[in-house]
């Protein structure tokens, strides 16, 4: 029986892995365009490097994988920040080596200090691209200035070429992006949202017609349900949109992704639905399909979606239909009142000053120092190892340590799998395999160009998957480029490739033993902590609206909004990471993961509606708000804070006190405002009416969310479900 259990576990893991790869590598609309842009840009960079024999060419090629953005404008900005980061890194290197490079002790101190600065800036600089560029420059310079066989002039020249080769990569990528956007004007973000909504629409129409879903649409529904929407979120984060619009579109993407997931569950439930669908439910499906079609058209042309009022009071015998109606009704809520706010008065929270250089807690959060120490110790361990044994070919371990710290995927196990897989596939199988079986038969750059383009296309295809796998593509490309894009001739000896691959493996080993072991927790613990922290920050945001001093309140609300949005991404990343964690508690972890993923879109929508409400509250004309309305509004915001903290306590396993009825609180606010204007014999003002509507929207979303969270954890505590809840720290 033990052998049978072990065999079943292996079979289950194998099936999971195969289905995972199949879903991640399946084509989707727009994927071929992304891969084509990256492949062409990297190949052009390679040809320029080989033709003019530019040293350290792998840096220019690898940045083509990092720079692809939603549009040419965003790509230009990212490229500009990259060049600025390399300029800063070049200036730092040249100035610091003048002071510390001569003596062996000060040289070692220079290496340690440089690594710490690079890792620390990676965590605290607000513009991530600038921090990455600075770190790449520093890690490359450490290798260059350890080459004692070359003179100082050569090392300075190569240091400057580090900047030059990246500038070439940036310029080529921007040009390729511009040309492709002329050829293919539709954005990847619009296509991604539109295709998902069309898939849901077709599914609903098939249900209304009592017909099976067409194979093409069924395949798309399965694909989108499995892959998720992490790539769409990445496109939003890299776009040139305002921060407010990014937050709104992030909420829309989260809701659309949840809508697709619910449609997938709906389809599975229909397979077990033995009785015919009621005609009234068919009408509701058609009505919802029409609304989804309208919603898709509006979002495609960036038009504010109209409000959808689902027949929530009507009973239904079809599972998940009501849930889909609520999700579709939530999507316009992400933009609730935004037009009215802009027409009413300049929205205080939309006013964007100069972007800060550092994150808000750059010098107060110990986590930044811990991250820098982890990275520095891992890279120093590699440096000491290959220096002590005088094996300079292993120096690729230094950039490997830095690039493996860039990923935002959650668990250390997931990072380890993707790092090692990329090194093996890109370095040993493809890199060294090409040197043995392919490169000896090539006698021109044309043949190498075909090989390079093919490997880059494979890397870009993997890199355009979801966050669960995309990092493998970057690692694959890095390993291949390190082997084949540093010299200008075909290598006749495998020793160079061997040293570089071993250097990559040394870096991965050091990151696993040091970086992934210090101050880290399981993905489930991190996911629960991030979700709870988001709820607590939401409560703080509601309380900030009660501060009579608006200037610091506006600043604090902006910071909380940005931190909550960053928290959403942290929850998403850890949710992906849990899939890579196995063990006896795996099913329990997956259930908790699904619950939090179910609640996340509602919290996103709550944030957007709350921010719209904050725009009204912080606007100057509302200082003259009627006293009864203002008192009811204050009580409502206090109740929101109490409910959000109650949800945080439920998720974290803490005791929960009395929780107010948020629907009743919103009703009191409406009643107080209505009675006030009725006493004056005047109609309710537009501003007060908008505030009442926003309060109703908040209550409509928050009340069922709290009930769901409370009931879910109460059921686990009472043993109603098979798997009990994991307390934080027990994962």
């Amino acid at each position: 029986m033990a052998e049978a259990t072990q065999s079943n576990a292996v079979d289950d893991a194998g099936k999971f892995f195969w289905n995972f790869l199949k879903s991640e590598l399946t084509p989707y609309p727009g994927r071929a365009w992304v891969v084509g842009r990256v492949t062409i840009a990297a190949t052009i960079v390679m040809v320029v490097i080989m033709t003019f024999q530019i040293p350290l060419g792998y840096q220019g090629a690898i940045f083509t994988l990092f720079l692809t953005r939603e549009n040419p404008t965003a790509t230009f900005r990212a490229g500009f920040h990259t060049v600025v980061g390399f300029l800063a890194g070049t200036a730092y290197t040249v100035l610091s080596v003048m002071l510390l490079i001569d003596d062996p002790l000060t040289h070692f101190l220079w290496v340690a200090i440089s690594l710490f600065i690079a890792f620390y800036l990676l965590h605290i600089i607000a513009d991530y691209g600038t921090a990455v560029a600075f770190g790449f420059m520093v890690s490359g310079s450490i290798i260059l200035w350890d080459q004692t066989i070359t003179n100082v002039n050569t090392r300075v020249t190569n240091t400057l070429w580090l900047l030059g080769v990246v500038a070439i990569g940036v310029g080529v990528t921007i040009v390729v992006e511009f040309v492709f956007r002329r050829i293919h004007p539709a954005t990847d973000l619009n296509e991604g949202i539109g295709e998902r909504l069309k898939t849901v629409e077709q599914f609903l129409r098939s249900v209304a017609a009592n017909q099976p879903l067409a194979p093409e649409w069924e395949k798309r529904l399965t694909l989108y349900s499995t892959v998720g929407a992490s790539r769409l979120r990445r496109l939003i984060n890299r776009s040139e949109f305002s921060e407010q619009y990014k937050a709104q579109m992030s909420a829309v993407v989260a809701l659309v992704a949840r809508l697709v997931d619910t449609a997938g569950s709906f389809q599975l439930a229909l397979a077990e639905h033995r009785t015919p669908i009621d005609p009234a439910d068919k009408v509701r499906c058609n009505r919802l399909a029409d609304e989804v079609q309208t919603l898709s058209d509006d979002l495609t042309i960036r038009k504010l979606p109209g409000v959808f009022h689902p027949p929530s009071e009507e009973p239904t015998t079809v599972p998940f239909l009501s849930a889909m109606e609520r999700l579709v009704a939530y999507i316009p809520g992400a933009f609730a009142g935004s037009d009215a706010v802009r027409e009413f008065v300049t929205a205080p929270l939309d006013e964007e000053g100069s972007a800060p250089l550092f994150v808000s807690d750059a010098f107060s959060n110990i986590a930044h120092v811990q991250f820098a120490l982890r990275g520095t110790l891992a890279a120093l361990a590699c440096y000491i190892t290959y220096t002590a044994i005088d094996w300079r070919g292993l120096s690729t371990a230094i950039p490997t340590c830095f690039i493996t710290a860039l990923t935002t995927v959650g668990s250390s196990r997931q990072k380890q799998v993707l790092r090692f897989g990329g090194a093996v596939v890109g370095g040993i199988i493809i890199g060294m395999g090409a040197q043995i079986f392919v490169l000896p038969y090539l006698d021109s750059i044309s043949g190498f160009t075909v090989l390079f383009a093919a490997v880059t296309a494979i890397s870009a295809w993997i890199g355009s998957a979801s966050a669960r796998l995309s990092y493998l593509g970057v690692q694959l490309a890095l390993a291949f480029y390190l082997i084949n894009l540093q010299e200008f001739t075909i290598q006749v000896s495998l020793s160079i490739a061997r040293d570089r691959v071993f250097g990559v493996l040394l870096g991965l080993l050091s990151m696993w033993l040091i970086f992934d072991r210090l101050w880290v927790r399981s993905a489930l613990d991190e996911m629960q902590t991030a979700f709870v922290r988001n709820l607590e920050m939401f409560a703080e945001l509601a309380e900030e609206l009660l501060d009579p001093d608006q200037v610091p309140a506006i600043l604090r609300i902006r910071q909380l909004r940005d931190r909550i949005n960053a928290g959403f991404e942290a929850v998403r990343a850890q949710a992906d990471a849990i899939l890579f964690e196995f063990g006896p508690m795996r099913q329990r972890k997956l259930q908790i993961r699904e619950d939090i993923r179910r609640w996340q879109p509602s919290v996103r929508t709550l944030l957007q509606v709350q921010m719209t409400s904050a725009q009204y509250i912080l606007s100057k004309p509302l200082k003259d708000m009627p006293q009864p309305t203002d008192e009811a509004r204050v009580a409502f915001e206090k109740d929101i804070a109490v409910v959000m903290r109650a949800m945080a306590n439920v998720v974290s396993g803490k005791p929960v006190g009395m929780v107010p009825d948020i629907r009743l609180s919103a009703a009191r606010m409406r009643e107080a405002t209505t009675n006030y204007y009725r006493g004056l014999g005047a109609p309710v003002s537009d501003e007060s009416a908008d505030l009442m509507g926003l309060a109703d929207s908040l209550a409509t979303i928050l009340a069922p969310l709290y009930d769901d969270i409370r009931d879910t954890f109460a059921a686990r505590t009472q043993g109603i479900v098979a798997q009990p809840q994991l307390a934080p720290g027990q994962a």
Side-chain angles (χ1 to χ4, degrees):
M1 292 180 63
E3 291 178 356
T5 302
Q6 185 176 4
S7 176
N8 290 336
V10 173
D11 291 342
D12 291 342
K15 291 178 181 177
F16 162 77
F17 182 71
W18 172 249
N19 291 331
F20 168 75
L21 284 182
K22 184 178 179 181
S23 63
E24 291 287 340
L25 300 180
T26 300
Y28 57 75
R31 188 170 197 170
W33 288 98
V34 175
V35 174
R37 298 201 305 264
V38 173
T39 302
I40 292 176
T43 304
I44 293 175
V45 171
M46 181 275 297
V47 171
V48 172
I49 289 168
M50 290 297 186
T51 301
F52 297 99
Q53 298 190 2
I54 301 173
L56 305 166
Y58 75 93
Q59 293 253 30
I62 197 67
F63 265 89
T64 61
L65 275 73
F66 294 150
L67 291 177
T68 299
R69 294 294 188 267
E70 167 71 356
N71 56 58
T73 302
T75 302
F76 176 81
R77 290 179 180 176
F80 176 77
H81 292 158
T82 298
V83 174
V84 169
F86 266 86
L87 278 171
T90 303
Y92 165 80
T93 300
V94 173
L95 292 176
S96 60
V97 296
M98 293 171 59
L99 302 174
L100 302 172
I101 205 67
D102 290 333
D103 183 76
L105 177 59
T106 57
H107 182 99
F108 179 78
L109 290 176
W110 172 73
V111 172
I113 293 171
S114 299
L115 288 172
F116 181 84
I117 292 174
F119 281 103
Y120 188 64
L121 292 180
L122 179 64
H123 232 226
I124 69 168
I125 290 184
D127 185 77
Y128 192 65
T130 304
V132 169
F134 181 89
F136 264 94
M137 183 66 206
V138 170
S139 61
S141 298
I142 290 174
I143 299 174
L144 286 176
W145 285 91
D146 266 7
Q147 296 175 354
T148 55
I149 59 174
T150 59
N151 58 42
V152 173
N153 289 337
T154 302
R155 281 182 277 180
V156 171
T157 301
N158 289 339
T159 301
L160 296 178
W161 268 120
L162 266 177
L163 169 63
V165 73
V166 171
I168 293 172
V170 168
V172 170
T173 303
I174 292 173
V175 172
V176 170
E177 287 284 311
F178 179 81
V179 173
F180 262 76
R181 191 57 64 201
R182 289 287 184 178
I183 299 173
H184 185 64
T187 66
D188 301 329
L189 178 61
N190 289 346
E191 285 187 347
I193 295 176
E195 288 296 324
R196 284 166 172 78
L197 290 176
K198 287 179 183 177
T199 302
V200 173
E201 176 198 346
Q202 293 299 320
F203 167 72
L204 290 170
R205 297 202 187 282
S206 69
V207 173
N210 204 20
Q211 297 291 330
L213 186 61
E216 176 188 356
W217 294 106
E218 183 176 7
K219 183 178 179 181
R220 291 191 182 187
L221 182 60
T222 303
L223 170 65
Y224 294 138
S225 298
T226 306
V227 172
S230 59
R231 182 174 174 274
L232 298 183
R233 298 187 189 98
R234 198 157 61 240
L235 290 173
I236 293 172
N237 292 335
R238 292 176 171 181
S239 69
E240 86 286 5
F241 303 139
S242 68
E243 292 301 320
Q244 177 70 3
Y245 189 72
K246 284 182 181 180
Q248 291 172 338
M249 290 305 298
S250 295
V252 170
V253 166
L255 289 167
V256 170
R258 196 64 200 169
L259 183 65
V260 172
D261 292 342
T262 307
S265 301
F266 194 169
Q267 185 186 33
L268 293 176
L270 286 178
E272 302 175 359
H273 198 73
R274 304 300 181 184
T275 58
I277 298 178
D278 187 86
D281 289 332
K282 292 182 179 179
V283 172
R284 289 177 67 173
C285 286
N286 264 326
R287 180 171 180 260
L288 185 58
D290 292 338
E291 181 62 29
V292 171
Q293 182 182 11
T294 303
L295 190 62
S296 175
D297 295 339
D298 290 343
L299 291 176
T300 300
I301 62 176
R302 298 188 185 182
K303 176 185 176 183
L304 190 67
V307 178
F308 171 59
H309 299 287
S312 56
E313 301 300 326
E314 298 181 12
T316 177
T317 59
V318 180
F320 299 104
L321 179 56
S322 297
M324 292 184 69
E325 288 176 332
R326 287 195 298 271
L327 286 169
V328 172
Y330 287 167
I331 292 176
F335 304 94
S338 56
D339 271 0
V341 170
R342 283 191 291 268
E343 294 171 3
F344 176 56
V345 69
T346 301
L349 298 175
D350 285 343
E351 296 174 355
E352 296 187 15
S354 57
L357 179 60
F358 302 112
V359 296
S360 58
D361 60 349
F363 305 104
S364 60
N365 190 345
I366 191 64
H368 301 310
V369 177
Q370 291 174 344
F371 177 88
L373 286 175
R374 289 159 58 199
T376 302
L377 291 175
L380 271 182
C382 296
Y383 180 81
I384 293 172
T385 299
Y386 73 71
T387 302
I389 62 178
D390 195 22
W391 194 351
R392 300 288 174 172
L394 301 181
S395 59
T396 52
I398 299 295
T400 299
C401 288
F402 187 78
I403 196 173
T404 50
L406 303 182
T407 177
T408 56
V409 297
S411 71
S412 61
R413 188 169 302 174
Q414 182 182 7
K415 296 175 186 177
Q416 295 156 17
V417 171
L418 297 181
R419 291 172 188 164
F420 185 76
V424 170
V425 175
I428 298 177
I429 297 178
I430 299 181
M432 297 181 69
Q435 286 197 316
I436 297 173
F437 300 107
V438 179
L439 294 179
Y441 302 98
L442 303 179
D443 57 0
S444 69
I445 194 174
S446 300
F448 181 73
T449 300
V450 174
L451 172 65
F452 182 90
V455 175
T456 302
I458 294 173
S459 303
W461 190 273
I462 299 173
S464 59
S466 73
R468 293 174 292 182
L469 187 67
S470 60
Y471 188 59
L472 177 67
V474 177
Q475 283 289 347
L476 190 157
L478 174 66
F480 181 80
Y481 294 168
L482 282 172
I483 293 175
N484 294 292
L485 207 57
Q486 294 207 61
E487 285 82 23
F488 317 112
T489 183
I490 296 174
Q491 294 291 339
V492 296
S493 172
L494 288 177
S495 62
I496 296 178
R498 175 206 63 195
D499 292 351
R500 290 170 183 170
V501 171
F502 281 9
V504 172
L505 295 178
L506 174 63
L508 299 183
L509 178 63
S510 180
M511 293 293 283
W512 174 60
L513 292 176
I514 299 176
F515 187 83
D516 293 334
R517 301 294 176 180
L518 297 176
W519 304 298
V520 294
R521 300 187 300 169
S522 74
L524 181 63
D525 284 342
E526 295 287 354
M527 183 180 185
Q528 284 184 276
T529 300
F531 186 72
V532 168
R533 183 56 187 151
N534 267 3
L535 298 177
E536 292 173 343
M537 286 191 294
F538 200 112
E540 294 175 25
L541 191 151
E543 291 172 341
E544 287 294 332
L545 295 175
L546 308 178
D547 191 342
D549 191 352
Q550 290 192 356
V551 175
I554 290 174
L555 178 61
R556 178 64 176 161
I557 289 172
R558 287 176 184 167
Q559 293 174 347
L560 286 170
R561 176 190 63 190
D562 295 341
R563 290 174 62 187
I564 293 173
N565 282 318
F568 289 144
E569 295 306 308
V571 171
R572 189 268 311 161
Q574 301 302 334
D576 290 339
I578 291 175
L579 296 175
F580 286 81
E581 295 187 345
F582 296 90
M585 294 184 178
R586 174 173 170 78
Q587 292 303 319
R588 201 183 312 181
K589 293 180 180 181
L590 291 178
Q591 181 58 55
I592 299 171
R593 170 185 181 269
E594 287 304 311
D595 289 334
I596 295 179
R597 289 181 71 241
R598 183 175 76 251
W599 300 324
Q600 176 109 319
S602 296
V603 181
R604 278 185 179 271
T605 305
L606 275 173
L607 177 63
Q608 297 312 312
V609 179
Q610 180 72 315
M611 292 306 300
T612 301
S613 179
Q615 303 280 29
Y616 274 83
I617 294 170
L618 296 174
S619 298
K620 291 182 180 180
L622 292 181
K623 289 182 177 180
D624 301 327
M625 185 186 300
Q627 183 177 357
T629 302
D630 189 53
E631 292 176 351
R633 193 267 305 173
V634 169
F636 179 70
E637 294 296 341
K638 289 181 178 178
D639 287 345
I640 287 180
V642 172
V643 175
M644 298 305 293
R645 284 202 171 90
M647 290 193 297
N649 290 338
V650 170
V651 176
S652 58
K654 298 178 181 178
V656 179
M658 294 295 296
V659 180
D661 186 339
I662 198 65
R663 291 192 184 93
L664 183 59
S665 183
R668 290 196 191 102
M669 180 177 172
R670 177 174 289 277
E671 181 181 5
T673 303
T674 304
N675 289 340
Y676 173 81
Y677 281 99
R678 185 182 294 120
L680 294 178
V684 178
S685 67
D686 293 339
E687 295 80 10
S688 297
D690 286 337
L691 276 178
M692 290 190 299
L694 290 168
D696 289 339
S697 297
L698 285 167
T700 301
I701 301 170
L702 181 55
L705 176 63
Y706 170 73
D707 292 340
D708 189 6
I709 292 177
R710 179 198 59 199
D711 295 343
T712 298
F713 282 87
R716 290 201 181 100
T717 302
Q718 298 169 8
I720 296 177
V721 296
Q723 300 292 348
Q725 162 66 9
L726 281 173
Q730 292 183 347

